[in-house]
Amino acid sequence: MTAIEFPGEPRRRGSNLEKWGWIYMRASGVVLLVLIFGHLFMNLMVGDGIQAIDFGFVGGKWADPFWQWWDVLMLWLALIHGANGMRTLVNDYTNPGTVQKVLKGALFAAAAVLIILGTLVVFTFEPCPAGAPADLLPSFCAA
Amino acid sequence: MNTQTSDAETTVIDGVHYHQFDIVIVGAGGAGMRAAIEAGPGAKTAVISKLYPTRSHTGAAQGGMAAALANVEEDSWEWHTFDTVKGGDYLVDQDAAEILAKEAIDAVIDLENMGLPFNRTPEGKIDQRRFGGHTRDHGKAPVRRACYAADRTGHMILQTLFQNCVKLGINFFNEYYVLDLVMTEVDGVEQPSGVVAYDLATGELHVFQAKAVIFATGGFGKIYKTTSNAHTLTGDGVGIIWRKGLPLEDMEFFQFHPTGLAGLGILLTEGARGEGAILRNASGERFMERYAPTIKDLAPRDIVARCMVQEVAEGRGAGPHKDYVLLDCTHLGAEVLETKLPDITEFARTYLGVDPVYEPVPVMPTAHYAMGGIPTNVAAEVLRDNTTVVPGLYAAGECACVSVHGSNRLGTNSLLDINVFGKRAGRNAVEYVNSGVEFTPLPEDPARGIRELLVQLRDSNGTERIAAIRKELQDEMDKGAQVFRTDESLAHVTNVIAGLRERYKNIAVQDKGKRFNTDLLEAVELGFLLDLAEVVVFSARNRKESRGGHMRDDFPNRDDENYMQHTMAYLSGDAHSADAADHIRLDWKPVTVTRYQPMERKY
Amino acid sequence: MSTATLDQAPAAEAPIQSFTVTFLIRRFDPDVDTEPRWQDFDVEMYATDRVLDALHKIKWEQDGSLTFRRSCAHGICGSDAMRINGRNRLACKTLIKDLDISKPIYVEAIKGLPLEKDLIVDMEPFFASFREVQPFLVANSTPEPGKERVQSVANRAIFDDTTKCILCAACTSSCPVFWTDGQYFGPAAIVNAHRFIFDSRDDNAQTRLDILNDKEGVWRCRTTFNCTEACPRGIEVTKAIAEVKQAIMRGKP
Amino acid sequence: MPETSAGTLTTPEKPAKQKPGGTLYRGHEGMWSWVLHRITGVAIFFFLLVHILDTALVRVSPEAYNAVIGAYQTPIMGLGEVALVGAIVFHAFNGLRIILVDFWAWATRHQKVLFWVVIALWVVTMLAFTPRHLINVFSH
Ligand SMILES: Cc1cc2nc3c(=O)[nH]c(=O)nc-3n(C[C@H](O)[C@H](O)[C@H](O)COP(=O)(O)OP(=O)(O)OC[C@H]3O[C@@H](n4cnc5c(N)ncnc54)[C@H](O)[C@@H]3O)c2cc1C
Ligand code: HEM
Ligand code: SF4
Ligand code: F3S
Ligand code: FES
C-alpha cells in the first residue's frame, strides 16, 4: 500500500555479542591511542622521520622484544578494531543476505590472514639475512 | 496499517469492512482509555480514535487532578463535594458530585499503581497543590487537593493509560473517524447496534457492530476562536448524538479559562496561581482582592475570567491596546518555575517571547471546557430524555454531562471526571454485554448515509471555502457568545450561524483523493461545529439568568426560581432549516440536590 | 520587578509587520505521483506565526489537498514532527522569526519511515518498536490497598526527564543509524524503556535491558546526538541511551 | 538546506533546482563528528591492510622492503602521509571523546565543546607534526 517502502523488515532477534564488540571498541581504542601515537612518533618524528625508515631501521627495532610486542599488540588490536568497525558499516549499509555474508566473510578472512601473517613476520623476522648487502642491514649485523 | 489489533474476523461487503466487538469505545483520550482498561479484560473491546491515542487532548492538561487524599493537609471528600457543587453554581447534580469526590481517591491511587509518576512529598507520598475553588471546610481557605506531576499531569495520565492499554493488548483502530452511530429498534426500543468509521489512511468505510458503545470523544472548543483546545476538538461525538435525535444537556455552559496566553489561547495552568502567581492589571494592582477577598486569585474560573474581562472593559488592561491583564510569576523564582511549572514557562518563552522568571505574562480568558454534552446518569449510561436510558450506550469524559460540573467546572475536576466516569462506563459496559444480551442486528447497509454524505462532500465543487466559514463562526462566537453574553449578541450570532449553515451547503472540497483526505474531514468536522455552535447559542439565549460560565449582561443575577434546572436540547424537525427555532426544542431537567441548598456564591 | 506596569508589557509592542515567505514543500500523492515533488507557496506571515500556521494558511487558502497531521498546536501532542530546513522539529513550535526568511523554507516529511502522503508518514514501525520495549509498569509488590506506592523525591527525579516524551518520532527519524535500514529500535523506544528501567517501583528492568541488548538495540547508537537536538521536549536522549548502556553492562539499573 | 539562496526579504526568488530526494539533514557537531569518525576509520582500515602487507616484505628481502618503503618517501606520498596522520589523529582524539561521552554524564552534556576540543587538539598535533614531517620528506 505504501508507495515509498519501509527500508526494513521484521526485526531479527537472538543472542549476540554486540555488547562485547562495543566494549572492545572502547578498550582497544584507548590502548591503540598509546600504541599508534608511540609508533608514529618513533617512526615519523624522531631523527629523520620517514626518511630514516628502511630495512635496517625495522631490523633495529625488532631486535628489541619490547618493540616486537608493541607492534604485535598494535597489529592485533588495530585489525580487530578496524574489522569490527567495518562490520558495523556493513550491517548499516547492506541488508541481510548473500552480499552481507560475503562482505563479512571477506572482512574476517582479511583480518585473520593479516594477523597471522603479521605475527609471523614480527616473530620470525631475521634481521641479518645471509647474503644481503651489509649496507641495507641493521648496524649490529656487521659483527 | 495504522492499527494495533488482533481483529481477524473482518468481512468486506461492497467495499465496506465489517467488524464485530462486544464493546466499541469511540475516542482514545483519558476517558476512552480508562474505559478500555476496564473493558478490555472483560469483553472483546475495540477503541476507535481519529487520532493516535497519545495525540488526544487529555495530554494538554497541566495542573492536576483533585482528590481528597489529605497527604499534605487535612481534607475530606465531603469538602470536595461541597466545593464542586458551589463551584458549579449549584447546577451540579449532587449525587454525582458525591460519587466524583468519593471515588477520586481510588482514581488517583489506581493511576499511581498503574505507574503514573506523580510529584512526591518528602515522605514519598503523592504531593498535592492548591487549585481554584478547592477549599478546606466549606470555603474557609484554599486547600492542597490537586495531585500533580509538574505541569504535565494530563500528559502523564494519557501516557500512563496508553501504556496500560499496550500492556493489556487493547485493540486500537487509530486514525479512524467515527462518523455515525447506528441505532436499531428492538422491541420498540432504539439501541445502538454499531458505529460507522472512516479510515483516514485508505478512505474506506468500516462498520463496527457492537453490543455496547461508549462515547469518549472529548470537547468542542473549536467553535470558538480563542481556545485552549486542539484543532481536532470539533465535537464530532456530541454532534453524532445530536443528529441521532438524542438530547444534549447544558450546552450554554462553556468554561473560559482565565489564563490563556493573550491572543493565542494557549493555556497557562491555574496551577501557576496555585503555586502563588498573581493577576495584575495595567497599574500593577492585584485586582482579584477586590472581587474575591478570601481566596483572591484562586476563585473559580468563571469568576476570575469575568473579573479580567471587566478590568479590560473598564480600561485597566495592560499592553499597547489595553486588551489583556498580566499573570505575575516573577516572585516565585526560577526554581519553582523550572521544577513545578516547566512547560508553561516554556510556552510563554516560545510563543510570546516572555520569560516568566523576569516578566509578567500577558493573559486573557480562553475557551476551555464544555460543561455540557451528552446527558448521562451516574452509571455513564446515555439518557434519551430526563430519565430513560438508551440500553448499551455510554458516554464519559468531556463529551458527557453527568452533571458533576454544573455551570462551571472546578480546575482539576475534569481529569478526575474522565477517570471516575471513564472507569464506570467501561465497567458497566462489560457488565451489560456479559449479562446475556445479543448483538443488535445491523440495518441493511448501515454505512449508506455516511457514504452518501462523503460522496456528496468529496464531489462538492461549490464556491465557499471551509476555512472561511469556520473562521467566521469562530470570530462571531468569540464576539457574541463568550464570557459575557446578551440577548442581542446571541441573536446576532444565531443569525450568523444560520447564514453560515446555508453557505456550508455550497462548500468546495479541493482534495478529491481517497487516501489521507483531511480536507474532506475538515468539511465533516465543520458540519459538527456549526450544529453544536447553534445549540450552544440557542440554549444560551433561552437561559435568562447569569450562572457559572454563563454570564448574561442583560440578566446579571442568578435566578434559582426559574432556572435552577438543566437545559435539555433536542433536535426536532428538519435539521437543515435556516431558523434554529424550527429544529431545536428545549426542555428542562431538574437538578439533583442532596445536601447543599443553593447559597449565594461568595469567595 | 514584581509589579507590572504598562510599559513593561513586552510581547505586543513589536510592530506588526507581515512578510511574504516562500515555503517549499515536498509533496507526494501516492495516487498520482511515483516520486515526491517540491512545490512552492508564497504565504503572508507574521514574525510570531509558526510554521504550522503557514501550513494551515496554505491548506485553507491555497491548496486544500496539502496533507499533514496536527492537533494541539502547542507542542504537546507530538503530531506534527517534520523536517524544516533540514532539521526535525514540530511545526507548531517553530516560529517564523527563528527561521531565515530571506530564503525559502523547506518543509518535508520526517525521514526513515514509509512516506504515505505529503508530510504524513506511516508511524506503525515507530510504535511497534515502542511496544516492544514493554513500556509499562510491571511491579511485583502489591501496595497497601487504597494506598500509593511510596517513592522518594530523589528516586522520582532519576527518570523524570524521560517521562516527558510525547512520542513524536522527531528523534528516531533524525537518527542516521535508523535511516540506514529502519531496524534499529531507535531513540524513542529506548527513552521509553529508560522511563521504566529507572523507576524504583518497577521490577521488570532486566527484561527490558535484555530486549535492548539486542543486535538492533542500544549498541547501534553511535552517539550522533541528532536525537537530543531534535527532541522538542528537551529530553537528553543520548544521555538516557548512555544510561541504559551502562545498566546493561552493570547487569542492573 | 537551500542550495540556491534567494533575493531580498520581501521577494524571495524561486530556487531553480530542487532536491528530488529530500534535503540533506542538517545535524550539528555530533553528527558531523560521527561522519568524520566513520570516514577516517574506513580510511585507516584500508591503509592498515596495505601497511601490513608492505611491512611483511621484510621477510622477503631487504631490497624488496626498501623498494616499497622508498615509495613512501616520495613527496606525493609524503603529503598522503600527512592526510593519513591527520585521519588517525582525528579518529583517535574523537574516539576518546566518544568514550568520554559514553561514560561520563558531564561529557554527554558538553559533547559539542568536546568536539571543538578535539578539533583544537587535532590542530595542535598537526602543527607539531606536519612541518617536521614535510621537512623530512622534502629535504632529502
Ligand atoms: C489545555 C488544557 C488544560 C487542561 N488542564 C486540566 C487540568 O489541569 N485538570 C483537569 O482536571 N482538567 C484539565 N483540562 C480538561 C481536561 O483535560 C479535558 O476535559 C479532558 O482531558 C477530556 O478528556 P476526554 O477523554 O474526554 O477527551 P480527549 O482527551 O479530548 O479525547 C478525545 C478522543 O476522542 C477521539 N475522537 C474525537 N472525535 C472522534 C471521532 N469522530 N471518531 C473517533 N474518535 C474521535 C479523539 O481522537 C480523542 O482520542 C484541561 C484541558 C485543556 C484543553
Ligand atoms: C588511535 C586510536 C583509536 C581510537 C581511540 C579509536 C576509537 C574508536 C572508537 C571509540 C570507535 C567506536 C565508535 C562508535 O562506537 O561510535 C571506533 C570505531 C572505528 N574505528 Fe577506531 N579507534 C582508533 C584507531 C583505529 C584504527 C587504527 C582503525 C583502523 C584499523 C580504526 C577503525 C575504526 C573503524 C572502521 C570504526 C567504525 C566506525 C563507525 O562505526 O562509524 N580505529 N574507533
Ligand atoms: S524522545 Fe523527544 S523527540 Fe523522541 S519521541 Fe519522545 S518527545 Fe519526541
Ligand atoms: S541520533 Fe541515533 S546514533 Fe544515537 S545519539 Fe541519537 S540514537
Ligand atoms: S500539533 Fe501537537 S505537537 Fe504540534
Side-chain angles (χ1 to χ4, degrees):
Chain A
M1 262 195 352
T2 317
I4 306 281
E5 277 304 334
F6 185 49
E9 44 199 276
R11 186 166 289 125
R12 323 175 274 271
R13 285 289 289 277
S15 79
N16 65 85
L17 296 172
E18 293 301 323
K19 177 174 81 177
W20 296 108
W22 187 89
I23 294 172
Y24 174 80
M25 290 307 270
R26 276 134 191 89
S28 62
V30 176
V31 181
L32 276 170
L33 183 97
V34 177
L35 295 178
I36 292 179
F37 275 37
H39 175 79
L40 291 175
F41 190 78
M42 289 302 293
N43 289 20
L44 299 180
M45 293 294 278
V46 178
D48 279 341
I50 188 152
Q51 296 302 340
I53 298 179
D54 58 12
F55 186 86
F57 176 86
V58 178
K61 254 179 111 185
W62 287 350
D64 184 345
F66 176 79
W67 287 114
Q68 271 185 323
W69 282 105
W70 182 288
D71 283 4
V72 165
L73 190 59
M74 193 163 68
L75 171 80
W76 282 70
L77 289 179
L79 263 178
I80 298 176
H81 177 105
N84 189 44
M86 292 299 289
R87 189 185 62 91
T88 312
L89 269 95
V90 171
N91 275 339
D92 278 1
Y93 299 119
T94 63
N95 288 324
T98 325
V99 179
Q100 194 175 79
K101 283 212 185 76
V102 168
L103 285 172
K104 285 189 191 167
L107 276 176
F108 181 82
V113 167
L114 288 181
I115 285 176
I116 294 167
L117 175 72
T119 312
L120 286 176
V121 166
V122 173
F123 285 119
T124 64
F125 177 64
E126 176 52 69
C128 309
D135 60 334
L136 298 181
L137 302 180
S139 50
F140 53 77
C141 290
Chain B
M1 258 288 278
N2 286 303
T3 53
Q4 168 204 342
T5 113
S6 60
D7 160 50
E9 312 114 53
T10 314
T11 46
V12 186
I13 305 170
D14 289 341
V16 178
H17 303 248
Y18 286 82
H19 313 253
Q20 213 182 44
F21 287 92
D22 290 335
I23 300 174
V24 160
I25 300 172
V26 185
M33 291 202 285
R34 188 64 190 83
I37 288 171
E38 224 52 39
K44 196 177 167 216
T45 305
V47 181
I48 310 175
S49 173
K50 74 176 185 181
L51 303 171
Y52 274 97
T54 53
R55 315 289 182 232
S56 304
H57 211 54
T58 294
Q62 302 168 350
M65 166 167 169
L69 298 183
N71 273 359
V72 285
E73 59 181 305
E74 194 191 348
D75 200 359
S76 82
W77 65 262
E78 281 101 342
W79 297 349
H80 186 183
T81 310
F82 171 78
D83 291 336
T84 304
V85 171
K86 181 178 172 194
D89 222 349
Y90 296 92
L91 200 71
V92 173
D93 284 331
Q94 298 185 10
D95 54 339
E98 232 167 80
I99 289 173
L100 183 81
K102 246 194 250 176
E103 294 184 6
I105 297 167
D106 273 346
V108 167
I109 299 297
D110 279 355
L111 286 172
E112 196 283 336
N113 289 174
M114 284 186 217
L116 197 142
F118 283 108
N119 276 39
R120 300 287 173 157
T121 65
E123 306 83 59
K125 294 198 279 187
I126 296 171
D127 198 14
Q128 298 184 282
R129 61 158 59 132
R130 298 196 176 98
F131 237 82
H134 290 280
T135 65
R136 54 173 289 113
D137 197 7
H138 312 93
K140 299 244 163 62
V143 73
R144 293 173 60 173
R145 185 178 291 148
C147 310
Y148 68 101
D151 53 357
R152 316 190 174 103
T153 317
H155 164 77
M156 300 299 185
I157 289 180
L158 191 69
Q159 296 289 332
T160 302
L161 293 175
F162 182 57
Q163 289 154 3
N164 281 274
C165 285
V166 170
K167 189 175 181 180
L168 292 173
I170 303 288
N171 297 305
F172 281 106
F173 293 84
N174 298 327
E175 300 193 326
Y176 277 52
Y177 280 61
V178 171
L179 296 181
D180 200 9
L181 168 67
V182 187
M183 301 281 276
T184 310
E185 211 177 283
V186 182
D187 302 332
V189 183
E190 281 240 306
Q191 55 186 73
S193 49
V195 298
V196 182
Y198 174 90
D199 178 4
L200 181 66
T202 61
E204 283 167 351
L205 288 176
H206 293 249
V207 171
F208 293 82
Q209 193 181 15
K211 292 179 183 167
V213 175
I214 302 175
F215 271 68
T217 53
F220 46 90
K222 277 288 152 183
I223 56 174
Y224 291 99
K225 176 173 144 221
T226 310
T227 174
S228 64
N229 285 11
H231 284 286
T232 44
L233 284 176
T234 49
D236 316 353
V238 184
I240 289 169
I241 294 287
W242 171 248
R243 289 182 188 172
K244 286 282 123 178
L246 294 169
L248 297 182
E249 183 175 345
D250 286 345
M251 292 292 280
E252 64 272 37
F253 295 107
F254 211 95
Q255 177 167 81
F256 297 88
H257 192 293
T259 52
L261 287 182
L264 292 170
I266 296 172
L267 195 78
L268 301 185
T269 175
E270 194 170 302
R273 279 169 288 140
E275 297 291 345
I278 290 168
L279 288 165
R280 299 184 188 278
N281 59 21
S283 58
E285 183 206 2
R286 183 179 190 181
F287 57 85
M288 282 312 296
E289 279 175 336
R290 266 187 279 126
Y291 299 96
T294 323
I295 57 177
K296 307 184 180 90
D297 300 275
L298 285 175
R301 291 175 179 172
D302 54 333
I303 297 177
V304 180
R306 215 174 295 143
C307 301
M308 289 167 66
V309 175
Q310 201 160 330
E311 287 295 299
V312 167
E314 288 167 10
R316 291 192 290 277
H321 307 291
K322 294 172 171 282
D323 57 355
Y324 54 75
V325 300
L326 296 163
L327 180 69
D328 185 0
C329 311
T330 52
H331 54 288
L332 300 182
E335 161 101 27
V336 170
L337 286 171
E338 300 288 355
T339 56
K340 294 197 165 165
L341 303 163
D343 278 3
I344 63 160
T345 304
E346 199 203 309
F347 294 153
R349 284 180 189 149
T350 308
Y351 295 110
L352 288 185
V354 174
D355 188 340
V357 177
Y358 306 108
E359 296 164 284
V361 186
V363 290
M364 261 324 252
T366 178
H368 184 57
Y369 184 86
M371 267 76 72
I374 307 166
T376 69
N377 60 16
V378 293
E381 291 167 303
V382 172
L383 300 173
R384 70 164 57 260
D385 52 39
N386 286 1
T387 49
T388 326
V389 303
V390 183
L393 188 59
Y394 301 82
E398 189 168 340
C399 69
C401 177
V402 186
S403 135
V404 284
H405 307 307
S407 59
N408 172 58
R409 170 176 74 86
L410 284 192
T412 68
N413 264 359
S414 172
L415 290 179
L416 181 54
D417 175 8
I418 61 177
N419 278 287
V420 168
F421 290 98
K423 182 175 176 181
R424 283 178 158 245
R427 208 174 45 202
N428 293 339
V430 170
E431 215 166 275
Y432 174 78
V433 300
N434 291 341
S435 68
V437 295
E438 292 297 322
F439 280 100
T440 314
L442 288 167
E444 186 83 18
D445 196 3
R448 196 169 94 221
I450 292 303
R451 187 169 43 232
E452 285 168 3
L453 173 81
L454 293 177
V455 167
Q456 184 207 328
L457 281 175
R458 206 195 314 259
D459 293 346
S460 60
N461 282 314
T463 50
E464 296 287 349
R465 279 196 176 272
I466 302 162
I469 297 180
R470 185 175 48 214
K471 180 168 185 311
E472 194 169 332
L473 171 73
Q474 293 168 338
D475 285 345
E476 292 294 332
M477 288 295 287
D478 264 21
K479 274 188 227 147
Q482 221 214 16
V483 177
F484 286 97
R485 301 118 186 239
T486 62
D487 189 64
E488 197 189 340
S489 76
L490 292 168
H492 175 70
V493 186
T494 309
N495 285 335
V496 171
I497 294 174
L500 293 177
R501 286 164 66 90
E502 221 29 63
R503 283 167 60 191
Y504 179 71
K505 293 175 187 160
N506 185 31
I507 56 168
V509 170
Q510 280 177 291
D511 194 338
K512 306 289 182 198
K514 287 204 87 183
R515 291 157 46 74
F516 287 100
N517 192 339
T518 50
D519 203 24
L520 176 67
L521 283 165
E522 284 194 25
V524 177
E525 289 170 340
L526 176 59
F528 288 124
L529 286 177
L530 286 169
D531 282 6
L532 295 181
E534 187 182 49
V535 185
V536 168
V537 173
F538 196 77
S539 306
R541 236 182 129 184
N542 187 54
R543 185 176 283 276
K544 298 184 176 60
E545 64 157 352
S546 289
R547 181 191 296 271
H550 175 69
M551 178 71 198
R552 288 280 299 255
D553 248 358
D554 40 359
F555 299 96
N557 297 318
R558 198 171 83 191
D559 176 358
D560 285 342
E561 198 141 321
N562 295 307
Y563 293 104
M564 227 320 247
Q565 38 191 348
H566 301 291
T567 306
M568 295 287 272
Y570 294 83
L571 177 67
S572 62
D574 176 15
H576 301 294
S577 63
D579 188 353
D582 286 346
H583 58 259
I584 302 180
R585 177 174 67 85
L586 295 184
D587 196 1
W588 301 107
K589 180 175 156 226
V591 175
T592 312
V593 177
T594 55
R595 310 174 182 211
Y596 305 106
Q597 288 307 314
M599 294 187 302
E600 201 200 336
R601 198 154 150 260
K602 272 206 306 225
Y603 286 94
Chain C
M1 45 173 287
S2 58
T3 39
T5 59
L6 237 173
D7 42 51
Q8 283 174 338
E13 310 254 307
I16 302 189
Q17 194 197 343
S18 70
F19 310 89
T20 304
V21 184
T22 303
F23 283 82
L24 269 168
I25 300 181
R26 191 158 178 257
R27 311 259 339 238
F28 175 68
D29 180 353
D31 293 336
V32 215
D33 303 326
T34 47
E35 285 251 313
R37 63 200 151 84
W38 289 90
Q39 190 179 354
D40 58 277
F41 298 93
D42 287 341
V43 197
E44 278 293 303
M45 305 286 319
Y46 296 99
T48 50
D49 281 341
R50 307 157 237 177
V51 171
L52 180 63
D53 297 318
L55 296 176
H56 272 146
K57 275 195 138 181
I58 295 169
K59 184 173 183 67
W60 293 345
E61 292 163 19
Q62 303 184 27
D63 183 351
S65 69
L66 179 67
T67 308
F68 50 92
R69 292 192 178 101
R70 51 82 178 112
S71 182
C72 70
H74 65 285
I76 206 74
C77 74
S79 297
D80 58 345
M82 49 189 77
R83 198 146 37 118
I84 299 168
N85 279 351
R87 287 187 186 133
N88 280 6
R89 349 222 343 201
L90 296 178
C92 63
K93 269 189 101 170
T94 309
L95 270 64
I96 299 296
K97 71 174 161 64
D98 298 330
L99 298 170
D100 174 8
I101 57 170
S102 65
K103 296 180 187 147
I105 294 170
Y106 284 68
V107 182
E108 58 203 300
I110 49 177
K111 192 169 165 170
L113 290 161
L115 184 60
E116 297 262 24
K117 183 178 176 187
D118 291 353
L119 302 174
I120 293 190
V121 296
D122 181 1
M123 297 288 283
E124 191 44 36
F126 173 81
F127 279 102
S129 288
F130 166 76
R131 288 194 295 266
E132 222 175 303
V133 301
Q134 309 200 359
F136 38 75
L137 189 81
V138 180
N140 299 336
S141 62
T142 23
E144 251 181 90
K147 282 268 178 277
E148 67 263 48
R149 290 194 172 80
V150 172
Q151 180 169 53
S152 71
V153 173
N155 279 343
R156 164 70 177 76
I158 295 173
F159 64 100
D160 183 65
D161 201 34
T162 43
T163 61
K164 299 189 299 200
C165 176
I166 53 175
L167 295 169
C168 67
C171 55
T172 296
S173 63
S174 77
C175 175
V177 178
F178 183 75
W179 299 333
T180 60
D181 60 1
Q183 294 281 311
Y184 173 39
F185 268 90
I190 302 173
V191 159
N192 283 280
H194 178 283
R195 142 92 190 71
F196 288 100
I197 291 169
F198 293 95
D199 188 333
S200 58
R201 299 168 295 172
D202 185 86
D203 297 311
N204 198 31
Q206 200 53 55
T207 313
R208 292 190 200 92
L209 293 176
D210 285 346
I211 293 171
L212 289 176
N213 191 11
D214 188 84
K215 261 182 80 146
E216 309 299 342
V218 285
W219 310 116
R220 280 200 78 178
C221 167
R222 307 244 78 81
T223 54
T224 65
F225 284 91
N226 278 6
C227 52
T228 302
E229 263 137 16
C231 179
R233 302 286 288 156
I235 298 171
E236 293 181 286
V237 182
T238 314
K239 185 160 162 284
I241 298 174
E243 284 166 10
V244 173
K245 285 174 183 161
Q246 273 158 42
I248 295 179
M249 284 187 282
R250 273 199 306 275
K252 63 177 188 334
Chain D
M1 191 165 46
E3 221 164 45
T4 16
S5 65
T8 64
L9 221 116
T10 41
T11 54
E13 285 161 26
K14 309 286 175 317
K17 220 167 138 240
Q18 300 162 353
K19 297 143 203 72
T23 61
L24 184 65
Y25 197 88
R26 292 206 298 171
H28 294 264
E29 286 85 342
M31 176 171 135
W32 297 117
S33 74
W34 163 76
V35 170
L36 282 173
H37 195 82
R38 188 154 263 204
I39 294 172
T40 53
V42 174
I44 305 168
F45 178 73
F46 283 112
F47 168 76
L48 182 62
L49 297 186
V50 178
H51 188 49
I52 293 169
L53 288 173
D54 65 52
T55 307
L57 290 178
V58 296
R59 277 302 276 139
V60 177
S61 73
E63 290 85 350
Y65 181 74
N66 285 356
V68 178
I69 265 306
Y72 281 100
Q73 288 154 345
T74 62
I76 298 202
M77 287 304 277
L79 291 174
E81 281 141 20
V82 173
L84 176 72
V85 171
I88 295 178
V89 171
F90 175 82
H91 189 95
F93 286 152
N94 193 55
L96 280 190
R97 170 181 156 278
I98 294 173
I99 295 169
L100 290 177
V101 161
D102 283 332
F103 291 102
W104 182 25
W106 182 91
T108 319
R109 284 214 173 105
H110 297 87
Q111 53 98 10
K112 287 191 185 181
V113 178
L114 285 175
F115 173 75
W116 294 109
V117 170
V118 165
I119 296 297
L121 285 175
W122 182 83
V123 169
V124 169
T125 315
M126 291 313 283
L127 279 180
F129 168 76
T130 314
R132 176 161 178 89
H133 178 69
L134 290 182
I135 289 168
N136 282 336
V137 171
F138 286 100
S139 62
H140 286 261

